[in-house]
Amino acid sequence: MSTITEPETNDSGSPLDTEVPEKARKHALGDRIFSGLSFTAGITIMVALAGVFVFLFIEGYPGLSVDERFYRPKTDFWSYVGPLVFGTTYAAIIALVLAVPFAIGIALFISHYAPRRLAGPLGYVIDLLAAIPSVVFGLWGGRALADQMKPFLIWLEDTLGFLPFFGGPASVTGRTLLTAGVVLAIMILPIITAISREIFLQTPRLHEEAALALGATRWEMIRMAVFPYARSGMVSATMLGLGRALGETMAVAMVLSASPIVTLNIISSENPATIASNIASNYKEASPDRQAVLIATGLILFAFTFAVNFLARYVAGRSERRMAR
């Protein structure tokens, strides 16, 4: 006569699930593996950045105090690198002023205004701009855009010549800092647009519906619900675009005929040089001491970019903390 065995129970009388510990062990193992891979990736990035800094410091430190003939037309390193920092910052600011409004507008159109059938393909086209090499942008800017900019530069001089930015004389070649800024703006547009679009799409749907239910128009809903939520993401997107503009090399070098000067004029033939374009233009034929000077300017650019990104992270984090309150 067969006997029926009852399932094992614990102290409370409920049956024991023998599969749970095994699944828990598998999940814990997967968590440990993923955590280890993530930690390794983060450490690798930090080690790589530290390695870049160490290389720039070791190779560039001698360039801080070489013979003054290697700093021509200046006499020491800091007077040599100062105009380059100014030109780098100035070109990046021009690019941001041109790119950010368009990027935010395109991101809003894709996320909140465009029909779904149009939003997807338009987003793909904008993202594809990021895949175009810098050399292509530089060739287009130096050969095509520069010629198209010449009538506009003349108009700026005639109309707004009383401003220091457009004092002229307008360049006859079109290769100006303004042209380089337009090229940089197009290059950083996909980065800012893509990040802003994703942040806008993550806005809680209930916040948007609540604003609309209270009688807000679509623009009022965006201004009161979307922008406050996406503020930190927009700052981060802008700073990422700024980092790309600060470090861009070939496009600026192929557009500008630059010199180490400080001027606010962005439509004349005398343009301030950027650090990256100066390195690209002079490194190949440079002597060892001259190479050390150029690497030292690269160290300054590294430190400047790091400081900008650190400041951007602080601003974004402060915005997030304010939203959490």
Side-chain angles (χ1 to χ4, degrees):
M1 184 174 179
S2 61
T3 59
I4 301 175
T5 59
E6 295 184 358
E8 297 181 4
T9 58
N10 54 20
D11 295 339
S12 62
S14 59
L16 292 173
D17 190 351
T18 59
E19 297 182 357
V20 172
E22 183 177 356
K23 291 182 178 179
R25 285 195 297 270
K26 290 181 179 179
H27 285 239
L29 178 61
D31 289 342
R32 288 197 296 270
I33 293 174
F34 181 78
S35 176
L37 291 175
S38 302
F39 178 79
T40 302
I43 292 297
T44 302
I45 293 174
M46 297 299 295
V47 170
L49 285 175
V52 171
F53 174 79
V54 170
F55 167 80
L56 292 175
F57 183 81
I58 293 175
E59 296 293 328
Y61 183 77
L64 300 178
S65 57
V66 296
D67 192 86
E68 66 179 29
R69 70 177 185 273
F70 295 106
Y71 302 123
R72 290 178 181 172
K74 306 298 182 178
T75 58
D76 61 272
F77 176 77
W78 298 111
S79 62
Y80 174 79
V81 77
L84 298 177
V85 172
F86 170 81
T88 301
T89 308
Y90 200 21
I93 290 175
I94 293 172
L96 284 184
V97 170
L98 296 175
V100 169
F102 283 101
I104 299 298
I106 294 171
L108 278 178
F109 178 74
I110 294 174
S111 61
H112 285 82
Y113 286 94
R116 185 169 300 178
R117 290 181 298 177
L118 177 62
L122 183 59
Y124 296 145
V125 171
I126 297 297
D127 293 340
L128 283 175
L129 286 175
I132 300 176
S134 301
V135 176
V136 176
F137 279 110
L139 286 173
W140 170 75
R143 294 180 177 270
L145 181 63
D147 289 335
Q148 301 298 321
M149 289 287 290
K150 287 188 286 188
F152 181 60
L153 299 179
I154 296 173
W155 179 84
L156 286 175
E157 180 186 6
D158 295 338
T159 307
L160 301 174
F162 59 91
L163 297 175
F165 311 106
F166 313 116
S171 172
V172 296
T173 63
R175 293 172 175 262
T176 65
L177 193 63
L178 179 59
T179 305
V182 172
V183 174
L184 287 177
I186 297 174
M187 295 178 68
I188 68 177
L189 185 70
I191 300 174
I192 304 175
T193 300
I195 297 177
S196 299
R197 181 184 70 226
E198 295 303 318
I199 295 297
F200 292 157
L201 290 173
Q202 291 176 14
T203 305
R205 187 66 179 173
L206 289 177
H207 292 185
E208 298 180 359
E209 292 177 351
L212 294 174
L214 291 173
T217 63
R218 182 174 297 185
W219 167 244
E220 290 172 337
M221 177 270 292
I222 291 172
R223 185 163 53 85
M224 293 185 296
V226 177
F227 282 165
Y229 178 82
R231 185 180 294 114
S232 62
M234 293 164 63
V235 172
S236 299
T238 302
M239 292 301 106
L240 282 175
L242 176 60
R244 172 82 188 274
L246 288 173
E248 185 49 50
T249 305
M250 294 310 299
V252 177
M254 298 174 73
V255 172
L256 281 182
S257 53
S259 55
I261 61 174
V262 176
T263 177
L264 295 177
N265 195 339
I266 60 176
I267 65 171
S268 69
S269 298
E270 295 184 348
N271 304 286
T274 65
I275 293 177
S277 64
N278 183 65
I279 295 174
S281 301
N282 297 292
Y283 192 85
K284 186 176 180 180
E285 293 84 11
S287 63
D289 286 336
R290 178 66 170 168
Q291 288 180 357
V293 173
L294 295 176
I295 294 175
T297 62
L299 176 62
I300 298 299
L301 177 60
F302 180 90
F304 183 64
T305 305
F306 181 82
V308 169
N309 289 330
F310 182 83
L311 178 62
R313 189 60 214 165
Y314 173 77
V315 173
R318 187 178 63 176
S319 179
E320 291 175 356
R321 291 190 295 269
R322 188 184 298 115
M323 290 291 295
R325 294 174 186 172

